[in-house]
């Protein structure tokens, strides 16, 4: 749909993060699809995921799909740290590189809320949806701004990052930072070995055991297991990604917890119970770091939530847009959610 | 039971590996428990696993257990590459360090067969059993020497390393070798950063998501998630382990396949079908790299095999001896197997 340089930037001014640092001249890069109507009541927020950029969300948007720009005004805000919104890689000294401050999911959603309300003058959304860390931001929207969010569809993500998920990310982080070329973040050139090592760690987690058993990567055009590891995974981590940016987003992910929203005192269950939105929560059957049972635990604590598992062998990447069957399943979930 | 220095060494002489290299003056370090009877028909072989040493197998041996030294003569051969048997760390030049040749599971089992037949004069075993890579060696014994092996109990392992398992190991390997201190294996001191990174990668795989959700590591005496990562996992990889040794065993693991046994021409299914031993195959319910469905596939192709899943949340480490409930379950499996 769009080129990589075709997006807008919203100035956050001096943006105080929940950890105490202030990002001066912070900004959110975003892209919109469709037209905001006169009553400003047709907007959907669809945040990005770990390392993702707005153009990597576009597979779920289009004519004939539920997220049809002819009907809805779809706002895709880039996550802080992703290289387009304020990030280690694009922030001037002194908060550049490894000095970029810790960012919480709450901070991301607060920044997006400013964009939605102050820039677009929107008082109420149609829905929020997102994959993976985008799902985490989706939950956070519903907790932070319950009056604005009548519907959510988080897919392949969670309201609180589980301990196992934290451990998985420790592996990714250790592989990336184990490369001496990383230089504690003060590299001149990307730590290529570390980035490629991190990508190989990720490879076992992103897709299920059965995906590899069935050699489904061949359907994606990869000609061998090693071709998939280099062509897809290493390519993924080398695609204009930056080590410090990845580490910033990884910290955000590891610390994700709606219970940390001001007013909830760390009580995740109470935060979940406070969600007023109707929710369809869609884990992938064989997701190795967001297993369906974690979402089941959440749904039990929510007022109006349905658990709808995406079947099949794609694991976490069921929500990545590469498998048409999974995409159709998620699109149907959105259709059902928005029909009410 | 034993100190780390209390074991025997069997000289393999000039041992030709299946890849073509000859390890001159090769040896298998081993330990026995119990007494070989006069008819030499009470022996059980119980090989070690990835990075394991004979003393780390002893939790399944003892008075009142199925593997009772009062009844059976239990031989625990250390795997080639584990630092006690011939390994990168203990082989003199020119085959030392990273020049240590590739070793297949077939080579390990052939070396063990020499020990069992030539040194002990045993013609027929009671059984072979083992955890993880030890399970792989167990399958291999049944394929390589069907007339000698009437019973096997492989637990948390497979006859052929699955593609996903290979990918998981790629992550471990990449984290270890991404450390510049590794120096392509020509390190003077262990690449500590790489070893610790590899241990953190491993941490997400060794136990299940539910194990972490339930904080079961607290039952093991660890006081926080980070305490478990450092105290258990980093400690595990630093316990007299060596980077080149780990990489040698990792290669063995990645290339495990009973179909590669001479005479089978790479046909894993035919090799499985050739097994004459009665088998009880015991995967762990939530093992993330040896999932039960992989063993189910194998059992369907074997003549006389039962699939008996170890229930619970411990994942791969259900077979590691740390959980008394799982240990009792495996011990019962052995009891049932040996009762015939």
């Amino acid at each position: 749909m769009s080129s990589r340089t075709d997006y807008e930037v919203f100035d956050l001014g001096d943006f105080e993060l929940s950890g105490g640092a202030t990002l001066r001249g912070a900004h959110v890069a975003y892209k919109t699809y469709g037209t905001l109507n006169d009553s400003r009541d047709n907007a959907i927020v669809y945040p990005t995921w770990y390392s993702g950029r707005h153009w990597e969300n576009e597979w779920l948007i289009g004519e004939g799909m539920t997220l049809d720009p002819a009907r809805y005004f779809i706002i895709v805000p880039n996550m802080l740290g992703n290289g387009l919104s304020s990030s280690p890689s694009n922030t001037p000294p002194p908060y550049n590189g490894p000095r970029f401050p810790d960012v919480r999911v709450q901070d991301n959603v607060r920044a997006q809320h400013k964009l939605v309300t102050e820039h677009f003058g929107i008082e109420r959304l149609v829905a929020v949806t997102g994959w993976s860390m985008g799902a985490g931001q989706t939950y956070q929207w519903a907790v932070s701004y319950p009056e604005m969010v009548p519907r959510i569809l988080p897919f392949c993500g969670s309201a609180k990052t589980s301990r196992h998920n934290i451990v998985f990310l420790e592996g990714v982080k250790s592989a990336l930072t184990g490369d001496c070329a990383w230089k504690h973040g003060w590299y001149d050139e990307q730590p290529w070995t570390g980035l490629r090592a991190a990508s190989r760690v990720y490879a076992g987690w992103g897709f299920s055991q059965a995906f590899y058993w069935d050699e489904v990567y061949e359907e994606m055009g990869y000609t061998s297991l090693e071709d998939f590891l280099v062509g897809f995974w290493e390519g993924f981590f080398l695609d204009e990604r930056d080590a410090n940016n990845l580490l910033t987003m990884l910290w955000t992910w590891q610390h994700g917890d709606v219970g940390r929203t001001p007013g909830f005192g760390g009580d995740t269950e109470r935060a979940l119970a406070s969600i007023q939105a109707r929710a369809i929560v869609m884990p992938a059957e064989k997701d190795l770091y967001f297993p369906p049972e974690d979402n089941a635990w959440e749904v039990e604590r929510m007022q109006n939530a349905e658990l709808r598992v995406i079947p099949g062998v794609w694991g976490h990447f069921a929500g990545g847009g590469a498998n048409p069957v999974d995409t159709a399943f998620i699109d149907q979930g959105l259709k059902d959610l928005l029909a009410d």
Side-chain angles (χ1 to χ4, degrees), chain A:
Chain A
M1 276 185 187
S2 63
S3 78
R4 293 189 174 200
T5 51
D6 175 25
Y7 60 87
E8 309 293 320
V9 172
F10 173 69
D11 185 2
L12 290 165
D14 293 348
F15 190 68
E16 186 177 347
L17 297 164
S18 51
T22 291
L23 270 180
R24 293 167 181 85
H27 67 273
V28 173
Y30 67 95
K31 170 110 180 145
T32 63
Y33 306 83
T35 307
L36 183 61
N37 62 15
D38 291 342
S39 46
R40 302 175 189 274
D41 64 1
N42 70 330
I44 292 173
V45 172
Y46 177 22
T48 62
W49 33 274
Y50 183 66
S51 89
R53 283 75 53 109
H54 58 268
W55 63 81
E56 293 167 302
N57 268 11
E58 293 178 352
W59 55 272
L60 195 57
I61 303 170
E63 189 186 336
M65 302 190 74
T66 304
L67 299 189
D68 189 337
R71 180 166 182 187
Y72 297 110
F73 180 61
I74 302 140
I75 305 167
V76 178
N78 287 277
M79 194 159 51
L80 292 165
N82 87 334
L84 298 178
S85 291
S86 286
S87 300
S89 65
N90 64 19
T91 295
Y95 273 125
N96 60 314
R99 275 290 183 275
F100 193 80
D102 295 334
V103 176
R104 287 193 177 269
V105 176
Q106 283 85 4
D107 296 318
N108 271 290
V109 169
R110 195 157 42 84
Q112 293 165 21
H113 179 260
K114 281 175 75 77
L115 165 67
V116 167
T117 56
E118 296 177 14
H119 181 68
F120 289 114
I122 295 167
E123 294 181 356
R124 189 174 166 85
L125 297 165
V126 174
V128 182
T129 188
W131 178 45
S132 196
M133 284 185 81
Q137 293 165 76
T138 298
Y139 279 106
Q140 189 61 53
W141 261 100
V143 172
S144 293
Y145 306 105
E147 73 290 348
M148 276 189 75
V149 183
R151 299 174 196 85
I152 57 172
L153 194 151
F155 51 104
C156 309
S158 66
K160 178 181 178 174
T161 304
S162 75
R163 292 184 196 90
H164 177 266
N165 199 328
I166 290 170
V167 174
F168 143 59
L169 293 169
E170 279 297 304
V172 174
K173 183 174 78 178
S174 299
L176 176 53
T177 60
D179 179 359
C180 332
W182 172 59
K183 297 181 183 173
H184 299 276
W186 299 114
Y187 47 81
D188 298 309
E189 206 182 339
Q190 293 296 323
W192 302 117
T193 301
L195 285 169
R196 287 176 188 265
S199 76
R200 286 194 177 235
V201 173
Y202 224 111
W205 292 110
F207 296 88
S208 78
Q209 299 97 340
F211 174 94
Y212 284 103
W213 182 281
D214 296 342
E215 299 175 281
V216 181
Y217 48 82
E218 293 189 351
E219 292 173 21
M220 297 167 77
Y222 296 95
T223 48
S224 68
L225 185 57
E226 182 64 16
D227 186 47
F228 183 58
L229 294 180
V230 178
F232 180 85
W233 280 107
E234 296 190 10
F236 193 92
F237 272 71
L238 299 180
D239 180 20
E240 295 185 39
R241 282 160 171 108
D242 170 87
N244 287 325
N245 290 355
L246 289 169
L247 292 168
T248 287
M249 290 181 282
L250 193 147
W251 193 98
T252 304
W253 186 349
Q254 286 190 315
H255 292 80
D257 180 2
V258 292
R260 293 289 302 247
T261 312
F264 290 99
D267 188 338
T268 308
E269 297 189 57
R270 193 155 63 84
L272 285 167
S274 78
I275 294 175
Q276 296 174 22
R278 181 184 167 210
I280 299 180
V281 177
M282 300 183 79
E285 181 187 349
K286 290 180 179 290
D287 194 319
L288 291 173
Y289 43 97
F290 291 110
E293 56 262 40
D294 294 6
N295 284 150
W297 181 90
E298 295 170 347
V299 162
E300 282 172 20
R301 283 151 183 83
M302 294 163 71
Q303 298 175 37
N304 187 12
E306 171 193 342
L307 186 74
R308 194 183 292 191
V309 179
I310 307 167
V313 303
W314 279 64
H316 188 65
F317 272 69
N323 181 20
V325 176
D326 294 332
T327 298
F329 192 90
I330 295 163
D331 187 69
Q332 183 63 46
L334 280 167
K335 193 173 182 181
D336 294 346
L337 183 72
L338 299 190
D340 282 359

